[in-house]
Amino acid sequence: MNIPMPTLGQWLNLLGMALAVTGALLYLYARSNQRAQMLARLRAEVARKGSQLADTVNKSQAPRGWRDRLTAMLYHLGSAVPIFSPAQQKEVRQKLVRSGIRNIKAPLIVSAFSVLCAAGMVAAAILLLWPSLEDQPIALKLIVGVMALYLGLLLPRLVLDRLAASRRAQIQDSLPDALDLLVICTNAGLSMGMALHRVASEMADTAPALADELTLTASEMQISGDVEQVLNNLAERTNLPAMRSMVSTLTNALQFGTSIVQALRVLARSERTARMMRLEEQAAKLAVKITFPMMLFIMPTIIIIAVGPAILNMGKLLKGIL
């Protein structure tokens, strides 16, 4: 019996069916493998989140140090005794930001310090000054107590002023170097945010205050699209005329499309000149400042060395004559 040979069309149909079955099997295998990988990744992510949650719970349950306990006590005291008005709270927050302190609990901690300082000053006035005013009228004692209370409330804000002034001086001294680096970065083709971030990373060791402000500004530029507002925030935080000039220059360059590199180069040159003038002014004041220490410590020594032997010889001569 002769078996008919398959024709070419039948062979092609069989080949097509085999390819279709093979493709379907490969597709099902890929889907199952992908699902298995996604399931394994999901389990790993759940395990990682569980471990992070456990670490967080353990850290929260762990005994806190004395600094954390003291901070919590001051925060609760500041919350319980709100002694600042809204205008004073805004002023304190502004001083804290200019001092480099951006913790949300810091204003209430400053309020707690004000209460403690006021109580300490009043107690010191009662214990130290009132015994010497025993024969004086009670009104004078009350005036002394009120003045001690006022000074105690004012003392933390004075400390904040000193911290802000010190940080402002550090930023002002390192600003010309930052402008030079910013010129190099922008001339190399970096955007404003990337240039600020690079300058901040380069100056983190030599000028930490300015690097902190530039890092915050670069982060704000990545989040916000309003570059002008971000630069104005930088000028408001630092409260420096030089920084306001830099912000105004960058804003005008971005607004009118002028060369940022040229504007920064001119600004860097002017800031270097201003820094040199400040140094010359400090050097000129040095002669006046050193006059009193010379008169108090150096002149008596010179007089003793120069006149002492003559006085001793004169004393011996007079003793011999008498």
Side-chain angles (χ1 to χ4, degrees):
M1 182 177 180
N2 295 328
I3 299 175
M5 295 295 293
T7 62
L8 181 59
Q10 292 176 347
W11 281 109
L12 291 176
N13 290 332
L14 290 174
L15 182 60
M17 292 176 61
L19 290 175
V21 172
T22 304
L25 292 175
L26 290 175
Y27 175 74
L28 293 175
Y29 175 75
R31 287 292 302 272
S32 62
N33 191 20
Q34 184 180 7
R35 186 174 298 175
Q37 290 179 358
M38 291 179 63
L39 184 60
R41 191 179 302 170
L42 181 61
R43 289 175 179 172
E45 187 68 19
V46 170
R48 187 177 67 85
K49 292 292 185 181
S51 63
Q52 289 182 355
L53 182 60
D55 293 339
T56 305
V57 172
N58 292 332
K59 288 181 180 179
S60 63
Q61 292 179 354
R64 296 182 297 178
W66 64 270
R67 291 185 179 179
D68 295 334
R69 292 195 295 269
L70 179 60
T71 302
M73 291 173 57
L74 292 174
Y75 177 74
H76 291 307
L77 177 60
S79 302
V81 188
I83 60 173
F84 292 149
S85 63
Q88 291 175 339
Q89 291 178 2
K90 182 179 179 180
E91 179 187 359
V92 168
R93 283 194 297 268
Q94 190 178 41
K95 290 180 179 180
L96 286 169
V97 170
R98 290 176 179 176
S99 302
I101 304 172
R102 303 186 184 94
N103 194 341
I104 194 173
K105 297 181 179 180
L108 294 178
I109 294 176
V110 173
S111 177
F113 271 119
S114 299
V115 172
L116 294 177
C117 290
M121 292 290 287
V122 170
I126 293 174
L127 294 176
L128 300 178
L129 296 180
W130 278 23
S132 60
L133 300 175
E134 185 177 358
D135 299 334
Q136 301 297 326
I138 190 64
L140 182 59
K141 295 182 179 180
L142 292 178
I143 290 174
V144 170
V146 171
M147 290 181 61
L149 179 64
Y150 176 74
L151 291 176
L153 293 175
L154 191 62
L155 183 60
R157 283 182 283 175
L158 294 177
V159 173
L160 284 179
D161 288 336
R162 294 293 299 173
L163 292 176
S166 176
R167 181 181 174 86
R168 187 166 58 248
Q170 294 175 8
I171 293 175
Q172 187 176 14
D173 291 339
S174 56
L175 184 59
D177 300 330
L179 288 174
D180 291 334
L181 292 176
L182 197 60
V183 168
I184 295 172
C185 293
T186 52
N187 198 19
L190 296 179
S191 63
M192 183 57 61
M194 295 178 64
L196 290 175
H197 184 73
R198 184 58 187 269
V199 172
S201 63
E202 292 292 335
M203 301 190 67
D205 296 331
T206 57
L210 182 58
D212 180 47
E213 295 294 339
L214 295 181
T215 302
L216 180 59
T217 304
S219 301
E220 288 181 351
M221 282 187 179
Q222 292 178 356
I223 297 173
S224 174
D226 192 357
V227 180
E228 183 178 357
Q229 183 61 38
V230 172
L231 293 175
N232 288 328
N233 292 337
L234 173 62
E236 184 65 26
R237 288 196 305 269
T238 54
N239 193 24
L240 277 174
M243 189 66 74
R244 295 186 186 276
S245 300
M246 186 190 80
V247 168
S248 177
T249 302
L250 294 177
T251 302
N252 293 332
L254 292 174
Q255 184 176 358
F256 298 108
T258 58
S259 176
I260 297 179
V261 178
Q262 186 64 26
L264 287 175
R265 188 176 288 115
V266 173
L267 188 60
R269 190 182 302 115
S270 64
E271 285 303 317
R272 284 197 301 270
T273 304
R275 183 171 64 178
M276 186 60 66
M277 292 178 62
R278 288 195 300 269
L279 292 176
E280 291 177 355
E281 182 181 359
Q282 292 177 2
K285 291 179 179 179
L286 187 61
V288 179
K289 293 180 179 179
I290 205 173
T291 302
F292 181 73
M294 286 182 61
M295 293 179 61
L296 185 62
F297 299 106
I298 299 177
M299 289 298 295
T301 306
I302 294 175
I303 292 173
I304 291 173
I305 294 174
V307 184
I311 294 176
L312 293 177
N313 292 330
M314 187 178 296
K316 292 180 181 178
L317 181 61
L318 292 176
K319 187 183 295 184
I321 294 175
L322 297 176

